[in-house]
């Protein structure tokens, strides 16, 4: 039993349990939560370092051999996702110290957040399609409660939309899992890959694959299935929104990448153009939606959608460089998007509102906040040498090398509009003088550390990724190479007999 | 029989989808419940219907008699039912609170403001 | 070299703090940094002239061929000297110009950062590193133009500049990637070596057009010129530095830098030359009628950039040589004139050319410097401007194609530019005293020293132009790709060129004398100026925003039902055709026989569902749901799944109870959806139903050979010690699933608790409910 694979599940579980037991003792709950987040981070880093040399870590839950028992698998991509998720969790927990009201904390913010983390880690590490469904449900259930935590009207009505659409997605997923078993007779992803190779590529299995595409597409907020996101992501408090924005859609993207490269990779002539078209539409509609908003949270929510388009573009292109670009983009985006939402929370705290019409003069009031905003904002817009630029460059280069000039053009145009949108927030909230009647409140010393600290830390990560782009690229490239060779995964899980199929 | 059940599943999906599109939030939740039933039945049916006995090892034997029902889809559906129940319970309470806050059962009235 | 340039960013970060400490001398102290760089570069002149190219390289992402590599050739050296030299002067100037301004420190810091970025840009040999610096200059320019951020006009101008240059930048990126693909490398020097193959490559044309888009936007070529006059909203030191001497030159610089690799083809010559010529003329024409000194200078800069572009387009050795000389001459006199405009603004309180006059006695040093610069711009010997103009005309005469177009355009534009030069640098200091708001006096030394130095430089360079020849030749050679000697001399003998210069001067002076009438004439055409790229830009931007608003309104129609409808339509549209085309029908593995009890149960299930749909009251709907649930439970029992059946019974009972408990006293729905929408929904629902039924049948095309169940059945007792295989799967074989399932239940419970509790809290503390986040 490889402990490294189990810890990312057990640590958040234990923390969640502790959180429930300590519900009445907020101080202790906070401490337990922080400890848990740190523990998860440490465990995930250990996991990642074990995969750096290309080893694919495998363990069987209950020691039942694959494909009968549930397999936990970590290749480079999965391990990196777990790490970045843990980083975001740590930042969110840190900023919840001051950024979250006491009522929500007492209602169970901490155990819920760790339960969410457990679901997310499980989704990244599982090698079984039904088990993936279960972890999705854990993650979704936690997010349902978190989005409505606090019971404000916006949250409840937005929450209802969020819940209904994600339940539709779950229902589709479940159906797909059942149908897949009904066709190939297995649920283990590696085993399914082997079994599917023996079947015609264009049969019923491709319809089942499309079902998964739909289910994951809803989760990943792809066009035209993303409408639930801008309706709900802006309603909970910013630490929660940051966690959602950074992680939840990426789990959907991860599932698409994993199944697309491992299990359902045989009908590329159909899925690739579809993915590219979806990617382009997602990019464009997302950024146009963002440009029309005046509420900072809504702008950021629409941008999530737009950026998902980029990740799907890499998957649709399918070359090694393109997949490296997607991996790079996903990792960079989790950090940057989470960061931006946390910054939004501080903007509200200092400027008194989320609405651009009522904000102003923040550059004078808090230059540190301005810097904290500028770094992730410019990174999102793809300015060199920040992380976002490299992610965009990889995709542009992959696209041009593959001869897909049109989508590259779309991607670049959307990038310009993203820059426009980010500078709009800058100009309205930071540059323009504060309008009459706004009620700004400067940050106290303690708040400065707990609110700006996590944000600046995440910003530093963004800068580090940008300046050290070579390092991350080498990793992403190696991860992409692994992804494009499903045989490696299959052999690791099923042993020698799984190799030939 | 498979055909009959497939048709039943189709009706369940249709009914569930139709209810999901209604204006009353309560009917939406009913729709979700029906969709859940439909999905469970689908997984069960796709795992192949057998009229044999359940997969239980009788005393004195080492394995259940062959042929017997496939245990795996049963386990999957069971898990799905329980998860579905938990989710449904929460969705119900959320619905109640949302309707109370909004003062109405009308889903269209629970829109957010335009940007 | 690399460290020296990059350290500028560190200096920039320290600048605000330094400025606070140092007070008056902040500008001067900060100027030490670029001054040091300037002298360092100066020391390299002999080596570069001799043909060496010192370089340094830092690999960044070697797998992708990206490295931070600097290469100091003639062209880079010329630009680097301009950037650092003028930068030092501007810093000293700015330190005093902004004295008393609360945000002087950050501005100085931004200027230093910009300086580093620009220096990096001109030294880069790697295209991607160059691009990084390019974008850095764009964003720094945004912050600099919008420095007076309380002014909405400044903010708008900054955005406009950013979007135009940024858009061009993105095209540039695509162009660079294509170049890298076509040439196999991102190093400019390597691309130049491979130029023949590159120019014949099928990707040459798209790459060229994209690169040109980037260069033209940055260097304010027609039709992208409109952002430059707008950028005059920046503080004057910024305009002097960015928008005359450095940033706007970046595009032309890039063209010169890439000339060996890309230039000389028909496409290059035609496109670049014509755009350049058009810009040269447009800029000159638009400057007529302007009153604001800065705007006069801005439009003349546009024109100058046009000439430079045209020369690079023509691409002959003579043209490139002329371009290098002009680059130097223009930087010297334009920066000086901008700084003078700033002095006049600072001291006399106005930049309106019609209100300034006769100030020479009051501002002697400034006036002399201004006149030197103005005469250089007008092309009077023995200033450098004259030498450069001669070379320009010479190149135009010998250009192909169409010298007979280029020459009149050049001469015509320059006539107007003479007038501009005199209006800015001569007019304010001569003639009757103008009506100014303040009584002006001479500016502080720190402010007039710069223009004086630059003016003197124009004079000295002109007089001793011969000595400059080797240096400028080195620059031209880099741009050409092969060695070439530029001959700078004051006296070429009587020639057509000299004639043209004379004509230009004479007519220009005449235009200057008649400038008031000219201005009045031009102002009648002012409404025409409302049409044009700037207007198009504003309209385009507004149009884009309304498209965005429309899209957003359409997307977040706010309705849950619409969202679900979209998902359903997508599902049917995607899966339907797939199923029909690829599904296998025949359901060979279906269970054919039907037992009566099973049929009854199936019917029961269907009846319950239909009942739930058509039920009038909520309670009857719940009954319908219950019937469906129990019917399914019985079906499970019949098909050999007793555990499952029991669970379903239990859960269904709980569900019904829960429904009844929760749905009591819920507000009633008054209105129902329109019949048409109900019909649509019914159709969609039917489609979904058919789809799923079809899928179930399609799956039964062949036998199910479960790869898992055999193991479960066989190992359940011996290995897992359990008799009920389903249970064993749940708790042992697939225990991890059950762990997740339990977690879901726990979280759901927590969620219900929190929702209920907060309700009670609201009830108990009505009015005191805190909504804070």
């Amino acid at each position: 039993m490889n402990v490294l694979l189990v810890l990312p599940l057990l640590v958040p579980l234990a923390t969640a349990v502790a959180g429930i037991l300590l519900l009445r003792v907020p101080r202790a709950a906070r401490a337990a939560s922080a400890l848990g987040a740190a523990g998860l981070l440490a465990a995930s880093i250990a996991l990642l370092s074990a995969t750096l040399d290309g080893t694919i870590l495998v363990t069987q839950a209950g020691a039942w051999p694959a494909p009968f028992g549930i397999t936990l698998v970590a290749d480079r991509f999965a391990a990196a996702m777990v790490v970045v998720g843990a980083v975001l969790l740590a930042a969110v927990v840190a900023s919840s110290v001051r950024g979250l009201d006491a009522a929500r904390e007492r209602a169970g913010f901490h155990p819920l957040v760790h339960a969410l983390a457990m679901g997310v880690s499980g989704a990244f590490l599982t090698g079984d399609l039904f088990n993936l469904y279960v972890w999705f449900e854990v993650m979704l259930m936690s997010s349902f409660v978190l989005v409505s935590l606090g019971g404000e009207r916006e949250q409840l009505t937005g929450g209802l939309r969020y819940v209904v659409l994600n339940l539709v997605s779950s229902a589709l997923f479940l159906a797909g899992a059942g149908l897949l078993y009904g066709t190939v007779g297995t649920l283990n992803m590696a085993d399914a890959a082997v079994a599917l190779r023996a079947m015609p590529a264009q049969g019923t299995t491709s319809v089942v694959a499309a079902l998964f595409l739909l289910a994951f597409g809803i989760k990943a907020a792809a066009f035209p299935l993303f409408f639930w996101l801008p309706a709900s992501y802006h309603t909970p408090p910013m630490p929660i929104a940051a966690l959602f924005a950074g992680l939840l859609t990426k789990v959907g993207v991860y599932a698409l990448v994993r199944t697309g490269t491992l299990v359902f990779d045989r009908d590329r002539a159909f899925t690739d153009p579809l993915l590219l078209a979806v990617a382009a539409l997602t990019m464009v509609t997302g950024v146009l939606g963002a440009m029309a908003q005046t509420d900072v949270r809504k702008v950021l929510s629409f941008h999530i959608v737009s950026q998902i388009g980029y990740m799907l573009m890499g998957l649709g292109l399918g070359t090694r460089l393109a997949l490296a670009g997607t991996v790079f983009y996903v990792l960079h985006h989790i950090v940057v998007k989470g960061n931006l939402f946390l910054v939004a929370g501080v903007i509200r705290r200092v400027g008194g509102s989320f609405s651009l019409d009522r904000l102003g003069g923040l550059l004078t009031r808090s230059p540190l906040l301005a810097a904290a905003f500028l770094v992730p904002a410019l990174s999102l817009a793809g300015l060199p040498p920040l992380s976002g630029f490299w992610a965009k460059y990889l995709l542009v280069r992959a696209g041009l090398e593959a001869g897909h000039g049109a989508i590259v053009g779309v991607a670049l145009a959307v990038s310009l509009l993203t820059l426009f949108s980010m500078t709009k927030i800058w100009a309205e909230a930071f540059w323009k003088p504060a309008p009459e009647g706004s009620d700004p409140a400067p940050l106290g010393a303690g708040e400065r550390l707990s609110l700006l600290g996590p944000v600046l830390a995440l910003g530093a990560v963004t800068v580090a990724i940008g300046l050290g782009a070579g390092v991350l690229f080498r990793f992403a490239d190696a991860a992409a190479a692994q992804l494009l060779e499903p045989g490696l995964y299959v052999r690791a899980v099923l042993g020698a007999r799984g190799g030939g199929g | 029989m498979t055909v009959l059940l497939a048709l039943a599943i189709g009706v369940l999906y249709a009914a569930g989808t139709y209810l999901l599109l209604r204006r009353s939030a309560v009917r939406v939740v009913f729709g979700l419940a029906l969709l859940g039933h439909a999905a469970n039945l689908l997984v069960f049916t796709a795992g192949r219907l057998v009229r044999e006995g359940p997969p239980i090892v009788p005393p004195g034997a080492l394995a259940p008699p062959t042929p017997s029902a496939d245990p795996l889809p049963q386990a999957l559906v069971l898990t799905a039912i329980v998860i579905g129940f938990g989710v449904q319970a929460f969705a119900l309470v959320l619905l109640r609170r949302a309707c109370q806050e909004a003062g109405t059962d009308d889903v269209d009235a629970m829109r957010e403001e335009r940007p | 070299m690399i460290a020296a340039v990059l350290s500028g960013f560190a200096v920039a970060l320290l600048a605000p703090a330094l400025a606070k400490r140092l007070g008056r001398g902040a500008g001067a102290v900060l100027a030490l940094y670029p001054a040091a760089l300037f002298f360092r570069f100066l020391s390299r002149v002999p080596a570069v002239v001799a043909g060496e190219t010192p370089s340094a390289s830092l690999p960044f992402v070697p797998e992708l061929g990206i490295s931070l590599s600097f290469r100091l050739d003639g062209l880079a050296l010329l630009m680097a000297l301009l950037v650092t030299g003028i930068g030092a002067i501007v810093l000293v100037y700015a330190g005093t110009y902004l004295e008393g301004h609360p945000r002087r420190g950050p501005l100085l810091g931004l200027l230093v950062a910009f300086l580093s970025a620009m220096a990096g840009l001109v030294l880069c040999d790697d295209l991607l590193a160059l691009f990084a610096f390019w974008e850095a200059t764009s964003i720094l320019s945004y912050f600099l133009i919008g420095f007076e951020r309380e002014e909405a006009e400044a903010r708008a101008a900054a955005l406009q500049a950013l979007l135009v240059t940024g858009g061009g930048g993105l095209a540039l990126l695509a162009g660079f990637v294509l170049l890298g693909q076509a040439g196999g490398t991102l190093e400019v020097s390597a691309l130049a070596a491979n130029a023949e193959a590159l120019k014949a490559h099928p990707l040459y044309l798209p790459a060229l057009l994209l690169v040109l888009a980037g260069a033209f936007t940055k260097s304010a070529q027609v039709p992208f010129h409109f952002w430059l006059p707008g950028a005059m909203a920046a503080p004057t030191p910024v305009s002097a530095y960015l928008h005359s001497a450095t940033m706007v030159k970046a595009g032309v610089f890039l063209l010169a830098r890439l000339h060996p690799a890309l230039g000389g083809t028909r496409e290059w010559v035609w496109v670049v030359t014509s755009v350049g010529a058009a810009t040269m003329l447009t800029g000159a024409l638009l400057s007529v009628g302007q009153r604001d000194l800065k705007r006069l200078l801005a439009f003349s800069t546009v024109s100058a950039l046009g000439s430079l572009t045209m020369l690079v387009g023509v691409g002959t050795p003579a043209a490139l040589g002329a371009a290098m000389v002009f680059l130097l001459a223009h930087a010297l006199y334009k920066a000086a004139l901008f700084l003078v405009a700033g002095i006049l603004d600072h001291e006399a309180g106005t930049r309106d050319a019609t209100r300034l006059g006769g100030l020479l006695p009051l501002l002697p040093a400034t006036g002399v410097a201004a006149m030197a610069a103005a005469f250089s711009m007008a092309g009077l010997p023995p200033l450098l401007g004259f030498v450069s103009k001669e070379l320009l005309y010479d190149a135009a005469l010998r250009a192909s194609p169409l010298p007979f177009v280029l020459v009149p355009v050049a001469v015509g534009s320059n006539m107007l530019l003479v007038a501009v030069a005199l209006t800015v640098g001569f007019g304010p200091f001569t003639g009757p005293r103008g009506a100014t708001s303040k009584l002006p006096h001479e500016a502080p030394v720190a402010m007039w020293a710069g223009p004086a130095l630059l003016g003197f430089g124009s004079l000295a360079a002109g007089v001793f132009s011969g000595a400059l020849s080797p240096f400028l030749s080195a620059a031209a050679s880099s741009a050409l790709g092969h060695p070439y000697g530029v001959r700078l001399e004051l006296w070429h003998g009587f020639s057509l060129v000299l004639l043209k210069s004379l004509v230009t001067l004479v007519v220009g002076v005449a235009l200057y004398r008649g400038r008031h009438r000219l201005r009045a004439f031009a102002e009648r055409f002012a409404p025409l100026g409302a049409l044009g790229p700037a207007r198009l830009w504003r309209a385009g931007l507004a149009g884009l925003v309304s498209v965005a608003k429309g899209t957003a309104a359409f997307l977040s129609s706010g309705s849950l039902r619409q969202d679900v409808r979209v998902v359903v339509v997508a599902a049917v549209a995607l899966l339907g055709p797939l199923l029909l085309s690829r599904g296998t029908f025949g359901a060979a593995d279906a269970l054919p026989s039907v037992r009566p009890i099973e049929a009854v149960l199936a019917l029961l299930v269907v009846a319950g569902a239909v009942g739930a749909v058509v039920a009038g009251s909520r309670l009857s709907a719940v009954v319908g749901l219950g019937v469906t649930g129990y019917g399914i439970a019985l079906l499970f029992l019949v098909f050999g799944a007793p555990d499952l059946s029991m669970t379903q019974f239990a859960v269904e009972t709980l569900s019904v109870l829960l429904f009844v408990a929760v749905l009591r006293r819920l507000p009633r729905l008054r209105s129902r959806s329109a019949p048409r929408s109900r019909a649509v929904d019914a159709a969609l629902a039917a489609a979904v139903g058919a789809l799923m039924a079809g899928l179930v049948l399609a799956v039964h095309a062949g036998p199910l050979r479960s790869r898992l169940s055999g193991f479960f059945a066989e190992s359940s007792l011996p290995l897992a010690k359990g008799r009920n295989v389903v249970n064993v799967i749940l708790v042992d074989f697939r225990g991890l699933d059950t762990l997740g399932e339990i977690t879901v239940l726990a979280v759901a419970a927590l969620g219900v608790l929190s929702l209920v509790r907060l309700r009670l809290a609201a009830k108990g503390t009505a009015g005191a409910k805190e909504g804070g986040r």
Side-chain angles (χ1 to χ4, degrees), chain A residues 269-314:
Chain A
F270 173 71
T271 51
D272 280 1
L274 180 66
L275 276 172
L276 283 178
V278 167
L281 285 166
T282 310
M283 276 190 245
V284 172
T285 50
V287 83
L288 285 180
M291 282 169 62
Q293 305 300 325
T294 49
D295 180 314
V296 175
R297 303 166 296 175
K298 286 271 196 89
V299 173
L300 295 177
S301 296
F302 273 104
H303 274 303
I304 303 176
V305 173
S306 182
Q307 305 281 302
I308 295 285
Y310 282 93
M311 300 176 218
L312 293 177
M313 173 179 159

Side-chain angles (χ1 to χ4, degrees), chain A residues 129-146:
Chain A
L129 274 168
F130 187 80
N131 194 236
L132 183 64
Y133 166 75
V134 174
W135 293 125
F136 262 51
E137 292 303 298
V138 171
M139 186 180 84
L140 278 179
M141 189 69 236
S142 315
S143 72
F144 291 165
V145 181
L146 281 168

Side-chain angles (χ1 to χ4, degrees), chain C residues 422-562:
Chain C
L422 293 174
T423 312
V424 176
F426 188 73
F429 300 99
T430 53
R433 188 66 58 79
T436 59
S437 50
K438 315 200 280 189
L439 183 64
H441 53 78
E442 182 58 272
V445 177
M447 285 174 63
W448 60 252
L453 198 60
L454 292 169
F456 177 72
S458 298
L459 180 61
V463 170
F464 298 111
S465 51
L468 281 177
S469 303
F471 172 61
L472 289 167
S473 306
S477 312
S478 326
L480 265 174
H482 58 83
Y484 170 70
V486 182
R487 276 174 49 225
L488 288 97
E489 7 178 72
L490 274 180
W491 181 249
H492 290 253
F494 286 107
S495 64
L496 196 55
V497 174
L498 190 60
L499 184 65
K500 288 195 299 187
S501 295
L502 235 72
V503 169
T504 312
L505 265 173
V506 167
V507 177
V509 171
L511 287 171
Y512 167 69
R513 301 290 287 274
R515 66 189 180 283
H516 300 291
R517 265 171 292 155
L518 207 60
R519 189 172 295 126
F521 175 72
E523 268 162 12
R524 261 186 282 144
F525 286 100
L528 224 73
L531 311 155
R535 170 85 176 282
L536 213 70
W537 166 262
R538 272 192 299 275
L541 210 59
L544 192 62
V545 174
S546 41
V547 165
K549 286 213 168 82
T551 318
F554 167 71
L555 293 178
S556 38
S557 57
S559 165
L560 168 65
R561 303 164 68 210
Q562 194 59 23

Side-chain angles (χ1 to χ4, degrees), chain C residues 195-521:
Chain C
E196 287 313 312
L198 195 60
K199 291 177 207 179
H201 199 280
L203 284 175
Y204 171 76
L205 189 59
L208 176 68
L209 291 175
L210 289 168
V211 170
L212 287 180
F216 289 163
T217 49
K218 192 73 136 189
S219 284
Q221 301 297 298
V222 162
F224 306 114
H225 61 282
F226 55 92
W227 69 266
L228 193 50
M232 293 301 112
T236 307
V238 173
S239 305
Y241 192 46
L242 268 68
H243 304 128
S244 66
T246 52
M247 170 163 141
V248 294
K249 298 264 172 62
V252 178
F253 161 78
L254 184 67
L255 291 178
R257 168 61 79 225
L258 288 176
H259 174 82
L262 295 177
T265 60
R266 254 186 44 205
E267 294 89 351
W268 172 283
V269 172
W270 275 95
V271 175
V272 180
T273 311
S274 38
V275 169
T279 308
M280 180 161 68
L281 195 58
T282 311
L285 285 173
L286 286 175
S287 67
V288 177
Q290 297 295 333
R291 289 168 186 261
D292 182 349
L293 288 180
K294 279 180 75 173
R295 281 181 82 87
L296 276 166
L297 290 172
F299 281 112
S300 63
T301 303
V302 171
S303 180
L305 290 170
S307 339
L308 279 169
T309 308
M310 183 192 81
L311 287 170
V312 176
V314 168
T316 59
L320 282 168
M324 295 300 120
V325 180
F326 188 37
L327 201 65
L328 178 59
H330 178 262
L332 290 176
Y333 68 62
K334 211 28 106 44
L337 286 172
F338 261 107
L339 293 177
V340 165
I343 291 177
L344 288 171
D345 199 12
H346 202 251
E347 301 302 327
T350 178
R351 287 200 314 251
D352 188 331
T354 56
R355 286 177 35 203
L356 288 163
L359 294 171
L360 187 56
L362 294 171
L363 292 90
T366 309
V368 168
M371 285 195 263
F375 293 157
S376 184
M377 179 168 168
L380 239 75
L383 293 133
L384 188 61
F386 167 72
V387 179
S388 109
K389 202 145 291 188
E390 295 264 292
L391 285 170
L392 170 68
Y393 285 154
D394 184 52
L397 261 177
R398 296 203 263 149
S400 67
L402 309 175
F404 43 88
V405 168
L406 295 180
V407 170
V409 166
V411 174
S413 313
N414 276 296
M415 289 179 197
L416 290 166
L417 290 179
V418 170
V420 171
L422 293 174
T423 312
V424 176
F426 188 73
F429 300 99
T430 53
R433 188 66 58 79
T436 59
S437 50
K438 315 200 280 189
L439 183 64
H441 53 78
E442 182 58 272
V445 177
M447 285 174 63
W448 60 252
L453 198 60
L454 292 169
F456 177 72
S458 298
L459 180 61
V463 170
F464 298 111
S465 51
L468 281 177
S469 303
F471 172 61
L472 289 167
S473 306
S477 312
S478 326
L480 265 174
H482 58 83
Y484 170 70
V486 182
R487 276 174 49 225
L488 288 97
E489 7 178 72
L490 274 180
W491 181 249
H492 290 253
F494 286 107
S495 64
L496 196 55
V497 174
L498 190 60
L499 184 65
K500 288 195 299 187
S501 295
L502 235 72
V503 169
T504 312
L505 265 173
V506 167
V507 177
V509 171
L511 287 171
Y512 167 69
R513 301 290 287 274
R515 66 189 180 283
H516 300 291
R517 265 171 292 155
L518 207 60
R519 189 172 295 126
F521 175 72

Side-chain angles (χ1 to χ4, degrees), chain C residues 76-285:
Chain C
L77 187 56
L78 172 63
M79 290 295 297
L81 286 171
L82 284 175
V83 169
T84 50
I86 299 184
I89 292 175
V90 168
L91 277 171
V92 173
Y93 179 95
T96 312
Y97 183 85
L98 288 168
E99 201 166 353
H101 196 295
R103 296 201 307 269
R104 186 179 65 136
L107 182 75
L108 292 175
L110 282 172
L111 279 173
V112 173
F114 184 88
L115 198 152
S116 300
M118 195 68 210
L121 199 160
V122 304
L123 289 171
C124 264
D125 195 34
D126 178 288
L127 282 178
L128 214 61
L130 196 153
F131 179 76
F133 285 116
W134 182 282
E135 293 285 271
T137 60
S138 287
I139 192 79
L140 285 168
S141 160
Y142 173 74
F143 290 126
L144 283 166
I145 296 177
F147 185 71
E148 298 294 349
R149 54 195 189 235
E150 291 79 15
E151 310 288 325
E153 196 197 305
R155 295 200 299 269
L159 183 66
Q160 186 184 70
L162 180 66
L163 289 180
V164 174
T165 53
L170 288 171
L172 193 66
L173 179 64
F176 281 171
V177 173
L178 286 178
L179 275 182
Q181 243 183 284
T185 171
L186 283 170
E187 306 271 316
V188 177
S189 41
L191 282 173
N194 221 6
E196 287 313 312
L198 195 60
K199 291 177 207 179
H201 199 280
L203 284 175
Y204 171 76
L205 189 59
L208 176 68
L209 291 175
L210 289 168
V211 170
L212 287 180
F216 289 163
T217 49
K218 192 73 136 189
S219 284
Q221 301 297 298
V222 162
F224 306 114
H225 61 282
F226 55 92
W227 69 266
L228 193 50
M232 293 301 112
T236 307
V238 173
S239 305
Y241 192 46
L242 268 68
H243 304 128
S244 66
T246 52
M247 170 163 141
V248 294
K249 298 264 172 62
V252 178
F253 161 78
L254 184 67
L255 291 178
R257 168 61 79 225
L258 288 176
H259 174 82
L262 295 177
T265 60
R266 254 186 44 205
E267 294 89 351
W268 172 283
V269 172
W270 275 95
V271 175
V272 180
T273 311
S274 38
V275 169
T279 308
M280 180 161 68
L281 195 58
T282 311
L285 285 173

Side-chain angles (χ1 to χ4, degrees), chain A residues 239-273:
Chain A
I240 296 176
L243 197 57
F244 283 16
L247 273 189
L248 295 185
T249 40
K250 310 309 173 302
V251 180
V253 173
Y254 173 84
L256 280 170
V257 172
R258 178 63 71 202
T259 52
T261 53
L262 178 63
V263 185
F264 298 122
D265 63 336
R266 296 174 60 228
D267 198 7
R268 295 277 297 272
F270 173 71
T271 51
D272 280 1

